[in-house]
């Protein structure tokens, strides 16, 4: 992620290029900010990885699932979450193989899933009843700010779910095109992380 790197990120890019780095990949923070622009302006081959939502975001539910058997979210819209290992696999190919310079790759998993559908998959895998309970937009913001997130950042995150883009819920075949194998499913991700819940 590039969040928090707005000040130092461009300098890191400059130093990498000065050290002889010939290819860069950057995992965007949801928009083209200073770091992404510095990579594009670096003069070396670059690839931007535009992951829509990480499957690992599901870990934010772990505590409430363990403690209460419940997930609370303000919206139940679909998202084509991508496995973090697929992001890494695309990055590795872009860094090692020719033909990826100047590309912006939309990265998704193979299925658009709503939070309640993800909860159902978790329930089946964990063999536990897990409830999905809607909360309000403001409750979601308050929950984030209570963890130390700024109000502006909390509003951005919750707002992203409230007005998700077509690209966030539309399955893209980039992972299979770049890596030669299908994108990992959410069920696979849950199998790998079941002990965290």
């Amino acid at each position: 992620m590039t969040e928090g790197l707005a000040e130092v990120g461009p300098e890191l890019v400059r130093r990498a290029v000065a050290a002889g780095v010939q290819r860069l990949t950057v995992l965007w923070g949801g928009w083209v900010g200073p770091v992404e622009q510095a990579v594009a302006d670096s003069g070396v081959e670059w690839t931007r990885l535009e992951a829509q939502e990480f499957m690992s975001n599901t870990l934010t539910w772990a505590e409430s699932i363990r403690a209460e058997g419940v997930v609370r979210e303000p919206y139940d819209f679909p998202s084509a979450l991508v496995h973090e290992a697929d992001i890494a696999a695309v990055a590795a190919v872009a860094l090692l193989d020719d033909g990826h310079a100047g590309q912006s790759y939309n990265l998704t998993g193979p299925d658009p899933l709503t939070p309640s559908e993800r909860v159902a998959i978790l329930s089946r895998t964990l063999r536990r009843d897990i409830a999905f309970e809607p909360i309000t937009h403001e409750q979601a913001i308050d929950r984030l700010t209570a963890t130390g997130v700024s109000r502006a950042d909390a509003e951005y995150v919750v707002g992203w779910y409230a007005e998700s883009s077509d690209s966030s819920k539309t399955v893209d075949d980039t992972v299979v095109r770049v890596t030669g194998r299908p994108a990992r499913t959410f069920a696979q991700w849950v199998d790998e992380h079941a002990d965290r819940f």
Side-chain angles (χ1 to χ4, degrees):
M1 285 291 290
T2 58
E3 186 175 348
L5 294 177
E7 297 299 322
V8 299
E11 176 64 12
L12 291 174
V13 171
R14 189 194 66 71
R15 289 184 184 197
V17 173
V21 169
Q22 296 296 307
R23 286 182 177 155
L24 297 168
T25 61
V26 61
L27 179 59
W28 77 332
W31 63 91
V32 176
V35 179
E36 293 86 351
Q37 194 59 53
V39 168
D41 294 341
S42 66
V44 301
E45 293 185 11
W46 60 268
T47 308
R48 187 166 59 239
L49 309 177
E50 299 181 356
Q52 293 302 318
E53 183 179 0
F54 310 125
M55 289 182 185
S56 58
N57 286 351
T58 306
L59 292 172
T60 62
W61 298 346
E63 185 176 339
S64 67
I65 288 174
R66 286 192 307 266
E68 305 175 73
V70 66
V71 168
R72 295 178 182 92
E73 290 295 335
Y75 302 104
D76 199 29
F77 300 139
S79 176
L81 306 97
V82 63
H83 195 299
E84 53 273 16
D86 287 333
I87 300 169
V90 171
V93 171
L95 288 169
L96 296 172
D97 296 348
D98 294 333
H100 304 282
Q103 298 296 313
S104 297
Y105 286 143
N106 182 45
L107 302 178
T108 73
D111 304 296
L113 298 170
T114 65
S116 59
E117 289 170 332
R118 288 157 58 196
V119 167
I121 292 169
L122 281 160
S123 292
R124 284 194 301 273
T125 301
L126 301 175
R127 296 185 176 135
R128 293 175 49 198
D129 288 334
I130 303 170
F132 176 80
E133 294 181 4
I135 59 174
T136 68
H137 185 95
E138 195 59 35
Q139 285 172 318
I141 289 173
D142 290 345
R143 179 176 62 188
L144 279 175
T145 57
T147 67
V149 174
S150 73
R151 174 121 189 139
D153 286 346
E155 288 177 350
Y156 172 78
V157 170
V158 176
W160 186 88
Y161 289 103
E163 299 179 21
S164 58
S165 65
D166 286 342
S167 60
S168 70
K169 57 192 170 196
T170 302
V171 172
D172 193 298
D173 68 350
T174 301
V175 171
V176 69
R177 280 189 296 107
V178 173
T179 69
R181 57 158 193 75
R184 293 166 175 90
T185 66
F186 182 68
Q188 287 174 285
W189 184 93
V190 173
D191 283 336
E192 294 166 9
H193 298 276
D195 61 331
R196 314 265 311 257
F197 296 92

